[in-house]
Amino acid sequence: MSEVLRLGKFTLSLARPLVMGVVNVTPDSFSDGGGFATTGAALDHARRLIDEGADIIDIGGESTRPGAGSVALEEERKRVLPVLEDLAGAAVPISVDTQKPAFMREAIAAGASMINDINALQAPAAIAAIAASDVAICLMHKRGTPADMQNDPRYDDVVGEVLAFLDTRVNAAYAANIARDRIVIDPGFGFGKTLEHNLELLRHLDRFLDLKSAILVGISRKGMLGHLTGRDVNERVYASVAAALIGVEKGARIIRVHDVAATRDALAVWSAVNSITKL
Ligand code: HH2
C-alpha cells in the first residue's frame, strides 16, 4: 500500500488512520437527514467536524439509505455546490459523495479533492472524469441500487466476491492511468448485504490489503449496529466507535463517520498503542 493518499493539492500520510467526517445535505439521510439540509446548517456542521479533527470532509447530496430513490442532477448540484464552494479553501480536503459523472466534473472544478463513488466508477464517463483530474477516488462495492439492495442479497462467498469486484475496478482505474496513491477501496457495508455478510466482511477486512490500496470503512450508525445493540440510529456512537477500531485493527486507513470527536479519541488510543506518535 502507498504510504500516502494524494487528493488534488493535498497529500495525507496513511501512517495513522484518517477520519472522514460525513455531512449529508439531504432531507432524508438515515442518520442525519434533515439536520443539515440547508447550506448554512451544512457549513456549520462541516466546520464543527473540522474543529473536532476530521482529516477529510465528505459532502453528500443524495441519500443512499436502503429504499432511497435517486436525486436529479440539478437538485444534487443545488444542495452540494454552495457548501463545497464555501469549504473549498478549508485546511482539509473535501470529498464529494456522488455517482454522476457530470457532477464529478463540476465538483472537481469547484474545488473537491476527492470523489466518493458508491458505484465504483461504473457509469459511462465516470473513469474519464477522474482520470482527467488529480483527485482521489473511493471505489465502493454495492449489490443492486439503494432502492432494491436489501431485498434478500445473496453471495456464495461474500468476501471473495467483493474482493474480485474491487480488484476489477482498481484495475480499470489503473488502466485509465489513475495512480495507486489516489485510489481508496471500500467493501460497502450495508449496501446489498445482510448482517452476516457485513460481519464476515469486517472479520476478514485484512484480505482487502491484497489490493494494495487504502481501505475505507463506513459503518457509522448503520443498521447492522442497530441489529447488534437494539439501539436507534442516534444512539449508536459507542457501537460505531467499536466498529471503527475493529476496522483499523484489520487494516482500514480511512474511517467514514458521523461522530468525529468520539472516533478521534478512540483512534488516539489505538495510535499510541501502535506507537504512531504524530496525531
Ligand atoms: N455509506 C453511506 C454513504 N456513502 N460511501 C462510502 N464510500 N462508504 C459507505 O459506507 C457509505 C458511503 C451511507 O451513509 P450516510 O451517508 O450516513 O447515509 P445516507 O446515504 O442515507 O445519506
Side-chain angles (χ1 to χ4, degrees):
M1 190 177 74
S2 169
E3 309 265 288
V4 296
L5 180 65
R6 293 193 197 282
L7 323 84
K9 64 182 178 188
F10 295 90
T11 300
L12 298 182
S13 165
L14 294 169
R16 69 163 174 86
L18 303 174
V19 177
M20 173 186 263
V22 181
V23 177
N24 285 317
V25 198
T26 56
D28 57 342
S29 287
F30 80 96
S31 83
D32 53 359
F36 317 113
T38 64
T39 303
L43 279 171
D44 286 350
H45 188 57
R47 292 196 186 103
R48 184 177 144 201
L49 297 186
I50 294 170
D51 284 348
E52 288 181 0
D55 299 290
I56 304 171
I57 293 291
D58 188 39
I59 310 173
E62 175 175 56
S63 173
T64 51
R65 75 182 194 287
S70 63
V71 167
L73 172 63
E74 194 45 46
E75 181 62 26
E76 201 174 339
R77 180 186 278 144
K78 222 165 65 189
R79 292 177 182 178
V80 174
L81 281 180
V83 182
L84 174 62
E85 280 160 3
D86 209 284
L87 289 175
V92 302
I94 308 300
S95 161
V96 171
D97 188 340
T98 185
Q99 311 179 51
K100 298 186 182 72
F103 193 53
M104 291 176 189
R105 286 185 188 274
E106 221 170 324
I108 293 165
S113 298
M114 178 168 182
I115 297 294
N116 173 21
D117 182 7
I118 65 158
N119 198 33
L121 301 181
Q122 293 179 98
I127 287 222
I130 303 304
S133 77
D134 59 358
V135 305
I137 175 70
C138 179
L139 302 168
M140 195 196 82
H141 175 273
K142 68 173 166 51
R143 173 72 62 86
T145 64
D148 63 15
M149 66 191 181
Q150 290 307 104
N151 297 344
D152 194 21
R154 286 168 196 242
Y155 301 82
D156 290 326
D157 164 14
V158 66
V159 176
E161 288 169 50
V162 173
L163 200 48
F165 171 83
L166 290 177
D167 189 29
T168 307
R169 300 316 301 154
V170 167
N171 283 316
Y174 289 160
N177 285 327
I178 300 170
R180 184 188 300 277
D181 58 9
R182 294 170 55 200
I183 300 174
V184 173
I185 54 168
D186 177 355
F189 290 93
F191 285 85
K193 283 123 191 156
T194 63
L195 173 60
E196 258 322 308
H197 296 142
N198 288 320
L199 291 174
E200 188 70 1
L201 285 166
L202 189 53
R203 200 174 280 134
H204 298 290
L205 194 71
D206 49 350
R207 284 184 54 195
F208 290 82
L209 292 168
D210 289 353
L211 299 189
K212 313 270 183 245
S213 297
I215 301 171
L216 180 151
V217 295
I219 303 180
S220 180
R221 299 190 188 176
K222 280 191 177 165
M224 64 182 278
L225 304 177
H227 280 292
L228 295 172
T229 62
R231 294 200 183 272
D232 284 345
V233 75
N234 289 316
E235 298 174 342
R236 297 178 188 160
V237 180
Y238 307 126
S240 300
V241 168
L245 277 181
I246 296 168
V248 298
E249 194 66 27
K250 301 262 183 195
R253 276 297 172 271
I254 306 172
I255 310 296
R256 182 181 183 277
V257 296
H258 303 87
D259 303 288
V260 168
T263 311
R264 281 285 301 205
D265 281 4
L267 294 184
V269 176
W270 185 91
S271 296
V273 169
N274 288 282
S275 302
I276 302 165
T277 46
K278 189 174 171 301
L279 296 175

